[in-house]
Amino acid sequence: MAKVAVNELGVFTDVVKLDFNDLIAIGNGGTRVIAKIPAHGAVELVGVANTVDIAGSSSLVIDVGTTVADPDEFINALDVDAMTVPAFNTGDQYTAGTTVSTTGLSQAVKPVASETEVYIKVTDSAIASLTAGEIVIGLRISDLAKFA
């Protein structure tokens, strides 16, 4: 989990890079904390890119969110090995009105009163067979408490 330096800020506040060894270590059905939403904060943008093609499996799926059992608030059931372009804001929290939107719109979701962990969940029965691959996850997290 890396906090982005001021000169690297761009669009994200937090960036996580996981290679195939990290994914193997998380394991099938496993989770790992990848970021924290500060008290009085929210998540506005979450993107995932498959920067090095996944090799050794054709069934790698990830979720990103705050519910450890099913962290799908920000990214939901993303088929990573099939990705050809990055995916943004595909989770359950991103809605437009009452319709779930997977168009990558940007909106603050999951406001929290106290610090809350953000997890990645890996689902892949062949995870131990990975021989290559890397994913990058970027998050834009607001922190209104820093102005208090």
Side-chain angles (χ1 to χ4, degrees):
M1 163 170 80
K3 275 290 193 201
V4 181
V6 172
N7 63 341
E8 301 172 317
L9 268 177
V11 104
F12 298 108
T13 57
D14 297 72
V15 176
V16 180
K17 186 186 314 184
L18 300 169
D19 70 13
F20 70 100
N21 289 310
D22 297 319
L23 296 169
I24 290 169
I26 295 169
N28 183 35
T31 59
R32 176 181 288 176
V33 174
I34 58 169
K36 293 184 180 183
I37 307 169
H40 309 293
V43 173
E44 184 180 357
L45 178 67
V46 179
V48 179
N50 181 5
T51 54
V52 175
D53 286 340
I54 303 296
S57 174
S58 60
S59 57
L60 178 60
V61 173
I62 66 165
D63 294 297
V64 177
T66 60
T67 306
V68 71
D70 187 16
D72 60 2
E73 291 89 348
F74 311 134
I75 297 291
N76 186 18
L78 181 62
D79 187 351
V80 176
D81 56 88
M83 292 178 69
T84 57
V85 297
F88 295 89
N89 297 357
T90 63
D92 295 348
Q93 285 284 309
Y94 290 97
T95 59
T98 57
T99 305
V100 173
S101 173
T102 57
T103 61
L105 60 93
S106 179
Q107 66 188 55
V109 298
K110 196 64 178 177
V112 298
S114 59
E115 184 176 87
T116 302
E117 294 178 328
V118 176
Y119 302 93
I120 182 174
K121 180 175 182 178
V122 173
T123 305
D124 186 349
S125 58
I127 194 75
S129 300
L130 293 182
T131 57
E134 177 182 88
I135 60 173
V136 175
I137 304 167
L139 301 100
R140 182 164 57 214
I141 300 174
S142 67
D143 181 3
L144 293 175
K146 72 180 178 183
F147 301 108

